[in-house]
Amino acid sequence: MELLKNHGGDPFVTDTTMYKGKRYTAMDYYRTAFDHGFLPSYLDCPVIIADGLKDEGVQVNEQVEIAKSIYDSDAMLVVSHATGHSASSFGGAIKNVAMGCVTKSTKKYQHEVTKPIWNPDLCTDCDKCRQICQFDAITEDHELIIENCVGCESCSYVCESGALKSPDDESDKLQKRLAEVAHAVLRNLPYTNCIFVNFLIDITPFCDCAEFTPEYISLDIGVLASNDIVAVDLATIELIGNHKFQGDPTVQVREAHRKGLGVLEYEIVKVRL
Ligand code: SF4
Ligand code: SF4
């Protein structure tokens, strides 16, 4: 904040609402942010939930709606915690832009490809899936109501019998959607001032939505910054090690490059602030 202000900025900290839980509405999210210490008095700047009280966005194509306050800003510093991810293999700047800068409908569009498949022959009727589903997407007989499902995958995590499983090709499909949406966001913002900062610390196998387990896939490495979203994510993946991720983490990076979002090469220059 101090750096941004010293360079003439008037920053705020932001994110967008999610499906259900502690980030479902802007009011839920303000409470969660403040509980986690993201207090204006500590940050020395406001916190603004970018899709506002009523899921407000600017539709830039058939699928993608950018959260209003992000669209209305003059510049964006994208701060991402690099982690593994159960569905997209890797989460960094591309995923943060694709999920973090859009309204709920565009999040749902991306998660369409992660809806689980139910095998009744393996189901033991334990009911855990129905208890955890927040979207009324599982019947009393444990059948999926596919039109209610948002692909959050909570049910397949708790299903011990293997009756609920993620589709085999979900990782590639989700990564391609992430690149598609990140491209639509960055190409339709009415500004070009974007810098991407990836924190390669506390690198967990799953994203920060997942239940925390004190387990890391890498030692702390440092912080990477670039104005190229493709290069910064590729460097992040390669510094952590491609083999540390489930599946191929580079699908999203290569797809984002193919769409013209950045280059697949980089040089790391060490700086001291
Ligand atoms: S993935 Fe499972 S828990 Fe999530 S909405 Fe769909 S049915 Fe419910
Ligand atoms: S969690 Fe799995 S085994 Fe249990 S009821 Fe749901 S589908 Fe069946």
Side-chain angles (χ1 to χ4, degrees):
M1 289 309 139
E2 210 178 305
L3 267 173
L4 292 174
K5 286 182 182 181
N6 288 345
H7 284 80
D10 191 3
F12 61 93
V13 168
T14 192
D15 198 358
T16 50
T17 58
M18 278 289 292
Y19 314 122
K20 286 199 179 173
K22 293 182 175 175
R23 294 180 288 161
Y24 185 50
T25 66
M27 296 307 285
D28 292 335
Y29 208 151
Y30 283 116
R31 282 185 279 269
T32 302
F34 297 159
D35 282 351
H36 283 250
F38 289 87
L39 292 160
S41 56
Y42 174 72
L43 298 166
D44 198 21
C45 74
V47 175
I48 297 177
I49 300 305
D51 46 345
L53 295 181
K54 298 271 181 186
D55 213 20
E56 296 149 20
V58 176
Q59 197 83 37
V60 293
N61 66 30
E62 206 178 320
Q63 307 292 355
V64 178
E65 191 178 40
I66 302 175
K68 186 75 170 60
S69 299
I70 288 174
Y71 189 86
D72 286 342
S73 301
D74 299 319
M76 185 163 63
L77 181 71
V78 178
V79 180
S80 310
H81 178 209
T83 66
H85 193 274
S86 60
S88 68
S89 182
F90 164 71
I94 292 170
K95 181 168 170 296
N96 201 4
V97 167
M99 289 290 180
C101 292
V102 298
T103 60
K104 286 191 186 76
S105 62
T106 308
K107 288 186 180 78
K108 281 183 188 161
Y109 165 68
Q110 295 173 88
H111 268 295
E112 261 173 17
V113 296
T114 64
K115 292 182 182 184
I117 297 162
W118 182 59
N119 180 347
D121 295 338
L122 296 178
C123 182
T124 59
D125 290 320
C126 71
D127 205 43
K128 285 184 183 166
C129 54
R130 202 168 66 90
Q131 288 169 23
I132 203 162
C133 180
Q134 298 181 317
F135 299 89
D136 297 325
I138 296 177
T139 68
E140 286 188 3
D141 296 327
H142 308 115
E143 287 179 34
L144 266 182
I145 306 171
I146 210 74
E147 58 275 19
N148 288 3
C149 175
V150 298
C152 73
E153 299 195 298
S154 302
C155 56
S156 37
Y157 288 136
V158 296
C159 179
E160 289 168 5
S161 74
L164 278 165
K165 278 206 159 163
S166 304
D168 288 341
D169 57 356
E170 72 165 0
S171 180
D172 284 12
K173 282 187 172 168
L174 178 58
Q175 290 191 63
K176 285 181 180 170
R177 289 220 173 167
L178 292 174
E180 175 196 332
V181 173
H183 175 261
V185 169
L186 294 174
R187 286 291 174 262
N188 283 288
L189 287 175
Y191 51 88
T192 53
N193 301 320
C194 291
I195 295 181
F196 307 96
V197 181
N198 284 2
F199 278 73
L200 286 67
I201 57 169
D202 295 338
I203 306 164
T204 45
F206 302 117
C207 69
D208 294 335
C209 305
E211 193 104 332
F212 177 73
T213 47
E215 183 190 341
Y216 301 102
I217 57 172
S218 163
L219 296 173
D220 289 354
I221 295 169
V223 182
L224 295 182
S226 176
N227 58 2
D228 186 313
I229 192 170
V230 174
V232 78
D233 268 5
L234 182 62
T236 300
I237 291 167
E238 292 185 343
L239 281 172
I240 295 171
N242 297 37
H243 62 287
K244 303 274 182 72
F245 299 95
Q246 291 177 14
D248 178 0
T250 65
V251 174
Q252 56 194 285
V253 176
R254 286 185 278 114
E255 182 70 7
H257 165 69
R258 199 183 65 74
K259 287 179 171 296
L261 271 190
V263 297
L264 288 171
E265 53 199 41
Y266 57 85
E267 179 190 358
I268 294 177
V269 180
K270 283 192 181 179
V271 293
R272 282 182 195 282
L273 291 178

